[in-house]
Amino acid sequence: MTTALKAKELLIRAVECDQNGRILEAQTLYQDGIADLMSFVSTEPDDQRRKGFLTRINEYINRADAIKSRINGKLMLGKVIAHLSINENDTGHDYDQIFGEYMTKKTIEILIEEPYLTQNYQYQNLIRFLELAVTNCSQLKYIRLITKQDATNVDQQRTNLGQIKADLERRNVAFHIKYEDSLHDRRIYLSNGYIIKIGRGLHFYKASNPMYSIGLTNYKYRKCLQTDVDIWTNSNSTD
């Protein structure tokens, strides 16, 4: 497939996602399509055709910027509807028990901002969350993960996340990974209007001790680290 055809395909899909309310996926597709179209235009010898392409590119950039503003607005605005304080060594706080009720069939997209994904237990926590997502969110189509790059073992991190991506895509869920080394926020945005903010992100469980004991796979039996959980909703939330 030529660069121009690839760009066209990406941008058509971006418009479709935009129209269907899948704004996270639309934003990614717009960005990728614009990049490919810019690459094609840079080699276009005809001035008139190049100007035409640049006009279209600006239109797509404006659409992508509008989506970015919508996403930022959803993340920044809203009100707290539930608060939970988890004390040191508490048990009974599996992800499903804390926020599973907000992850519904109307959740078609999820944004996960989790800075730290470098250790085995951190990948296990992510998988546990994703298992809950594919179980509760039957119409889930797209997940975007934003995390920091593992400075000590970037290849292993990419391999691990690549395996997760491949598995989700076999389940017809697109998985986009973005690395931001300045990331500090820990929050999860659900496209049905709920935002989950956890002080420690996904990683508030203590190690199973001894390893082969109750709580190894069922997190409601795991002891926790102290943290706070807030559930936010914006005006567009739907149950």
Side-chain angles (χ1 to χ4, degrees):
M1 182 182 296
T2 66
T3 302
L5 286 175
K6 182 182 176 185
K8 181 179 179 181
E9 182 180 294
L10 288 170
L11 292 168
I12 288 174
R13 286 169 54 201
V15 173
E16 290 174 350
C17 287
D18 195 355
Q19 292 173 341
N20 292 329
R22 290 159 56 181
I23 60 174
L24 291 175
E25 187 170 6
Q27 184 185 37
T28 299
L29 291 168
Y30 276 131
Q31 291 170 344
D32 291 346
I34 290 167
D36 283 345
L37 197 54
M38 287 290 288
S39 177
F40 170 75
V41 168
S42 66
T43 63
E44 172 57 54
D46 187 289
D47 285 344
Q48 238 6 71
R49 281 173 56 83
R50 187 164 60 250
K51 287 180 181 178
F53 281 123
L54 289 173
T55 298
R56 294 300 301 276
I57 287 172
N58 284 331
E59 292 174 0
Y60 289 125
I61 289 174
N62 289 336
R63 290 187 186 183
D65 286 344
I67 288 177
K68 182 178 181 180
S69 296
R70 286 169 63 191
I71 293 171
N72 288 340
K74 289 175 181 292
L75 291 173
M76 298 303 295
L77 301 176
K79 61 181 180 180
V80 177
I81 60 168
H83 172 81
L84 172 66
S85 290
I86 299 175
N87 296 317
E88 192 79 9
N89 293 320
D90 272 359
T91 58
H93 297 301
D94 180 67
Y95 295 144
D96 194 11
Q97 294 169 293
I98 299 174
F99 47 73
E101 65 182 290
Y102 306 104
M103 302 175 70
T104 69
K105 64 181 181 180
K106 292 188 177 180
T107 304
I108 58 175
E109 297 185 303
I110 298 176
L111 169 63
I112 306 168
E113 293 182 341
E114 177 53 67
Y116 302 108
L117 285 171
T118 61
Q119 306 299 316
N120 285 337
Y121 76 90
Q122 293 171 339
Y123 293 113
Q124 291 168 359
N125 291 342
L126 175 61
I127 288 293
R128 178 68 191 92
F129 173 81
L130 295 174
E131 288 173 344
L132 177 61
V134 298
T135 298
N136 286 19
C137 310
S138 58
Q139 303 302 313
L140 185 62
K141 301 297 182 185
Y142 179 85
I143 298 172
R144 179 188 298 166
L145 169 69
I146 304 178
T147 190
K148 291 184 178 182
Q149 192 171 77
D150 185 352
T152 60
N153 200 345
V154 63
D155 290 339
Q156 187 62 57
Q157 183 183 47
R158 291 184 182 276
T159 296
N160 293 346
L161 293 177
Q163 290 176 358
I164 295 172
K165 176 182 174 70
D167 185 61
L168 285 169
E169 289 179 348
R170 283 193 290 269
R171 303 170 194 277
N172 298 314
V173 178
F175 187 60
H176 178 77
I177 304 154
K178 183 179 181 182
Y179 297 98
E180 287 188 6
D181 290 338
S182 61
L183 181 66
H184 294 289
D185 290 337
R186 299 170 175 88
R187 56 191 174 185
I188 299 166
Y189 162 74
L190 309 175
S191 63
N192 62 354
Y194 294 105
I195 302 165
I196 303 159
K197 298 183 180 181
I198 310 172
R200 293 181 181 270
L202 294 174
H203 313 313
F204 57 88
Y205 296 106
K206 292 189 173 183
S208 182
N209 186 22
M211 176 180 290
Y212 298 110
S213 58
I214 301 299
L216 177 62
T217 59
N218 191 330
Y219 281 17
K220 73 179 181 181
Y221 296 110
R222 285 278 189 102
K223 290 183 178 180
C224 297
L225 298 165
Q226 189 280 325
T227 195
D228 290 298
V229 182
D230 287 312
I231 308 296
W232 290 65
T233 185
N234 57 51
S235 58
N236 296 320
S237 64
T238 55
D239 295 328

